[in-house]
Every structure is written in structure tokens, then in C-alpha cells.
Amino acid sequence: MSAPAPATAPQQRRMLRIRLSDPAAAAAYGSLLFAVLVLIFPVSFPRMLADGWFTGRLTPALIVIAGLLNAGVYLRVAHLRSAKPGLAGSAILGVLTALTLVGLMLLESQVVRSQISHVSNPQAYVTEEILAHTYFGLISGLFIPYLFLRFAQGLKRLPL
Amino acid sequence: MPEWITAKWLWWAGLYLALGVFLPWSMTRSWARRHQKDFKPAPSRLFRRGELGLLSLLLALSVSWDLERSGFSPTMVAVGSVLLAMSGIMAASVWVETYCRDATSSHLDLRRSWVASRNLSLLVFSISIVTEILLDRLTKVVHQ
């Protein structure tokens, strides 16, 4: 009687460990795309952002864009490294993206209100403020959640 | 081409690339020619220990200083400076980690160091370019 074949254990996929260079490249390309849009549409692009900000549609739109980009980067890195994306990590990434953008936009609303009465050319100045704040908000939303996730993974060895 | 696009930020970006990346690279090639060595290092070999990260931190500091002196609101200056500083520090940390691993004979993957420093430096460089463009625009608005 022949010996039974050894049972092959199901191959466990290791948890995904994030490196900061992964989201950095995506954020850099997003940043360069923003620069191209500002250079090609120097009037209409900032005005569109300012209109979106005043109608309250800019923050949700930024959360959706940053969230989709972050999810795309996370899944792509998991696929490239043949690693399993953690549920907790994905949830933390999503929550931090939304929190970063909402926090920065709330900060911006305070700034615009306080600055609008202090400058000689309020409309143009506020448009520039909103343009700059949208840019820094978007890049923060793409980079800061990964920064926190990286530190959490590194310090606590959490299964994120 | 729109009127507000001055050559200032373009010159600035060009100078950074020329003096920070292409000059050291061309110096290695000229050294090889002078010493008649068959040695043609690519930037990925020249900066493989994360040196670009150190350069990025210096760039982030200089742009932060420009932002500090601008007419943007203090909150905006703080947000921009923190973002620049964080990305610059992360880029420089690649160089530090590579040095520490090398000095202690720990596991060192130079390919990984190069990719990390390149990506983080690209991020710092792109943030710096957009910040300079935004500062340029703001200067025009303030002087109107």
C-alpha cells in the first residue's frame, strides 16, 4: 500500500506592508496633473474650484477622487506584491482620507471668512486661496493617510 | 501662452534639476573621461543610496521659506509648510536608513533605496513646482 500523499497546506498570502514610495509616486503624478491643469486653464480651472467650494460640492468631490486614487494604489501594490490587503488597513485608509480632507476644508472655510474683509481684491485673492488650499488638501489626502498607516504598521506590528 | 506664466518658476525648476541632478551626473562622466575609465554610471547608480532624498529636504526647506514670505494666509502657509516638511523628511529618511543599514551590515537592497528616494523626490519636486506656480499667481493678484 503506498503512503498517502502529503496534504498540501493552503498557501497563506502575507499581509500587505505599505512603503511610502508607493503612494508618493501616485501623489506626484496627481500633483503634476494639477500643475498642467492650472497652466492650461489659468482662469477657468481656479474659477471652477472656487464655484465648487462656494456651492459645497468641492469637498465631497475631493474625498471621492482621493479615496478612489488611494484605493487604486492600495490594491495595485497588493497585486504587485502578491499580498493580501487587510480589511482594517483599507478602512483606516478610507477614514483618514475623508478626515484629512474634511479637516483641511473646515480650516479653509475659517480662513476665507476671516480674510475676505482684510484684502483689497477679495474675489481674486479668495480664488487663489481656494486653489492653493484645494491643491494642498488633495496632496495631503493622498499622502498623509499612507504616512499614518505606515507608522502604525511599523510601530505596533498591527495586522493592518 | 497666458500672460501670468513668467519664466521664474520654470528657471527655478530647471536650475534645481541642472545643479542637483545633471551636474553631479555629468561630473562623474567627465571624471571617467579624464581617467580614461570605461565607466558610465546612470543616475540610478549615482543616487542609489538615497542621496536624492537629502537634496529633496533642502528643496522643501527653500520652498517652505518662499511660502513663509508670501501673502497667503497663515493657515495656508502652515498647511503647505507641514506638507513640504513631511515629504522632505520622509525622502531624507531613505538616505538615513540606507546609511544605517550599510554601516551596520544589515540587509540592504540598493534597488529599493533608489526607487524609494526617486519616488519621494519626485513628490517633493512636484509639490515645490506647484507651490512656486501658486506663489507666482498670488504675487500677480496682490500687485493688481
Side-chain angles (χ1 to χ4, degrees), chain A residues 67-138:
Chain A
L68 286 176
L69 275 171
N70 279 343
V73 169
Y74 196 66
L75 292 176
R76 184 174 175 271
V77 171
H79 175 72
L80 286 177
R81 299 210 187 112
S82 306
K84 185 177 153 195
L87 189 63
S90 312
I92 286 175
L93 202 59
V95 169
L96 281 178
T97 305
L99 280 180
T100 306
L101 282 162
V102 168
L104 284 174
M105 288 301 159
L106 283 177
L107 209 60
E108 174 62 2
S109 64
Q110 300 298 319
V111 170
V112 169
R113 264 187 225 135
S114 65
Q115 292 286 318
I116 212 158
S117 56
H118 290 91
V119 290
S120 57
N121 189 4
Q123 195 184 357
Y125 181 83
V126 166
T127 303
E128 292 306 312
E129 274 275 341
I130 290 171
L131 178 68
H133 210 92
T134 304
Y135 170 71
F136 287 127
L138 183 63

Side-chain angles (χ1 to χ4, degrees), chain A residues 18-35 65-77 80 93 135 138-144 146, chain B residues 115-116 118-124 126-127 130:
Chain A
I18 283 294
R19 294 175 198 154
L20 274 180
S21 65
D22 304 324
Y29 295 135
S31 175
L32 290 175
L33 179 67
F34 192 95
I65 292 169
L68 286 176
L69 275 171
N70 279 343
V73 169
Y74 196 66
L75 292 176
R76 184 174 175 271
V77 171
L80 286 177
L93 202 59
Y135 170 71
L138 183 63
I139 300 302
S140 300
L142 292 177
F143 190 65
I144 290 177
Y146 280 103
Chain B
V115 170
R118 182 197 64 193
N119 287 357
L120 284 160
S121 301
L122 183 65
L123 177 65
V124 174
S126 65
I127 295 177
V130 179

